[in-house]
Amino acid sequence: FAALEKLLGERIAVLDGAMGTMLQRVALVEADYRGERLRDWPKDLKGNHDLLTLTRPDVIAGVHRAFLEAGADVIETNSFNSTAPSQGDYGLEALVGELNLEAARLARRAAAEAAAATGQPRIVAGVIGPT
């Protein structure tokens, strides 16, 4: 919080943009959402962007890097729908804890790399959607 307070005392902070919009540009297919781990899952998973945290962390990290390179001071975790009600649509309620933890780790790693490269602190904000 100290880094965020310091930043906000100096200037307006820039927050990243819409994760879902960035992911739609990647043209992912069902197999990307499934990965090897959920290859035989009985439900369609395409569109479950939070699941990409586990199945395609490279894609999520790439989105974080793009926002950071564009000048974002604060990036949000890829966990908007990492809740039991949202993941229940896919039968993946059991993954909620892992999704949230890994989303935070991915964002923190990207922020640390950007901070090291630029000398500017980068902040990670946990995000959760309306459900």
Side-chain angles (χ1 to χ4, degrees), residues 67-129:
F67 283 129
L68 291 161
E69 289 168 5
D73 298 299
V74 181
I75 58 171
E76 299 170 289
T77 58
N78 181 43
S79 54
F80 188 83
N81 287 303
S82 292
T83 63
S86 291
Q87 291 304 311
D89 292 344
Y90 302 95
L92 296 173
E93 303 92 331
L95 295 182
V96 167
E98 184 179 1
L99 287 168
N100 281 285
L101 181 61
E102 289 306 314
R105 285 180 176 157
L106 276 174
R108 185 65 254 153
R109 189 174 308 124
E113 290 169 1
T118 65
Q120 293 181 328
R122 305 301 175 98
I123 298 162
V124 173
V127 67
I128 193 166

Side-chain angles (χ1 to χ4, degrees), residues 1-11:
F1 287 116
L4 179 59
E5 287 177 338
K6 182 178 185 306
L7 174 66
L8 294 174
E10 297 170 356
R11 62 182 175 84

